[in-house]
Amino acid sequence: MSQGVFDINVIPHPLSGTPFGTALDLCLILAAMCLVVAIPTRDYSWVDRLWSLVPPVYCLIVAAGLDFASPRVNLMTLLVVLWSARLTFNGLRRGVFRPGHEDYRWVAVREKLGPIRFQLLNLTFISFGQMLLIWWFTSPVHQAAVWSETPLGWLDFLTASLFLVLFVGEAVADEQMWRFQRDKKRRIEAGEEVPQPFITSGLFRYCRHPNYFCELGMWWLFYLFAVSASGQWLHWTGLGFILLTALLIPSMRLTETISASKYPAYRDYQASTPALIPGLRFKI
């Protein structure tokens, strides 16, 4: 594995000297930049803008460290590049990368916590916490690189196939949401009645958050590449998708609280439709 060209060495850590260790150094640099820029701009969505961009960079660093000689790492990198392209496109058309754009959930959190506690949250979670989480759920590519001599097997092909199915599912869900919101905005601007203020059609008839279901599913599957490479079912890189799940569940809960407060009929939708997994009801 090529190493020297990748060394940044921001701080000493167990992965120093490895390509994914360089990805960690880059992660820390970007987290510090997000923290520094957020305070004067009062814009706390910088990590949101990087969310779709840095995972393929981390994977490309690892793939290049192997001189692109590992079929498994190359496959993982290709899938993450596809994931990134779709999410970045969706973010661009929603205005996520536009200066001044801020996720409405951060507004609600800031109002609830107050300025001092929100700045503490910015220091610990928004900037460094989220950036480290992104690095962590990408980390199975490191395990695959360590075991790069293991040939591709049936689990890799099955994982890649299921990943692509969920990739298409999330793209469909995002497109359905985009068209719904565009039509809703058009109706409001035209002074027309909006018969349904939140989407319940398409994939959203099967669960309230099909995009989150597909997103989590892809990163749970991503870990299986590390399992296939190493033969180890339990490894520290698996904490990434677990932590991602622990982040997205409260995020969904906050989204649902806001929606239920705005639209009384949303509670009927909650009562009739599973939250995350089609056919499986549990309270989030």
Side-chain angles (χ1 to χ4, degrees):
M1 184 183 297
S2 302
Q3 294 178 353
V5 69
F6 292 99
D7 291 343
I8 300 178
N9 296 322
V10 174
I11 60 172
H13 54 74
L15 295 181
S16 293
T18 68
F20 203 66
T22 295
L24 176 57
D25 292 331
L26 177 59
C27 166
L28 295 173
I29 292 171
L30 292 173
M33 291 174 60
C34 289
L35 176 65
V36 170
V37 174
I39 296 174
T41 62
R42 297 184 61 81
D43 182 346
Y44 301 95
S45 292
W46 294 101
V47 176
D48 296 339
R49 299 178 183 110
L50 291 175
W51 190 281
S52 67
L53 301 177
V54 292
V57 174
Y58 297 159
C59 291
L60 284 167
I61 289 173
V62 175
L66 295 169
D67 297 323
F68 297 97
S70 169
R72 178 177 292 102
V73 171
N74 292 345
L75 175 60
M76 295 171 74
T77 301
L78 175 61
L79 292 175
V80 174
V81 168
L82 289 173
W83 169 89
S84 171
R86 186 210 62 78
L87 187 57
T88 302
F89 167 73
N90 196 50
L92 283 169
R93 66 178 178 177
R94 290 174 48 233
V96 171
F97 296 93
R98 186 178 63 248
H101 174 274
E102 185 176 35
D103 191 308
Y104 69 94
R105 288 169 293 191
W106 288 135
V107 177
V109 172
R110 187 164 59 246
E111 291 176 352
K112 181 179 180 179
L113 294 181
I116 295 178
R117 287 194 296 171
F118 186 77
Q119 287 305 326
L120 289 174
L121 182 70
N122 180 36
L123 172 64
T124 57
F125 172 72
I126 296 177
S127 297
F128 280 93
Q130 287 194 111
M131 287 303 300
L132 285 169
L133 171 60
I134 297 169
W135 174 84
W136 213 318
F137 67 66
T138 316
S139 65
V141 75
H142 170 73
Q143 180 80 330
V146 171
W147 296 85
S148 59
E149 298 301 320
T150 305
L152 287 170
W154 67 269
L155 184 56
D156 298 291
F157 296 115
L158 176 62
T159 298
S161 299
L162 294 175
F163 187 103
L164 289 173
V165 169
L166 293 175
F167 171 85
V168 172
E170 188 167 20
V172 170
D174 283 346
E175 183 64 24
Q176 290 173 346
M177 176 63 78
W178 170 254
R179 292 184 178 183
F180 175 85
Q181 294 294 351
R182 293 280 291 180
D183 180 68
K184 178 180 174 180
K185 180 180 179 181
R186 180 192 62 78
R187 288 175 180 271
I188 292 174
E189 291 176 347
E192 299 177 9
E193 180 183 358
V194 179
Q196 179 64 43
F198 52 88
I199 186 170
T200 59
S201 58
L203 294 180
F204 293 84
R205 79 181 64 175
Y206 302 108
C207 66
R208 304 195 298 273
H209 302 279
N211 45 352
Y212 279 16
F213 169 75
C214 294
E215 179 73 8
L216 287 173
M218 281 188 282
W219 291 110
W220 279 63
L221 286 167
F222 195 70
Y223 177 67
L224 293 182
F225 286 114
V227 173
S228 180
S230 65
Q232 300 173 1
W233 281 96
L234 298 178
H235 188 260
W236 67 265
T237 60
L239 287 174
F241 69 78
I242 295 173
L243 293 173
L244 179 63
T245 305
L247 170 68
L248 291 187
I249 295 298
S251 178
M252 284 191 295
R253 187 179 297 119
L254 177 59
T255 301
E256 298 236 315
T257 299
I258 295 173
S259 296
S261 66
K262 291 170 61 178
Y263 314 117
Y266 193 82
R267 298 193 182 279
D268 296 330
Y269 180 48
Q270 290 176 307
S272 63
T273 308
L276 184 64
I277 304 175
L280 180 61
R281 295 182 179 277
F282 60 92
K283 187 175 181 179
I284 64 172

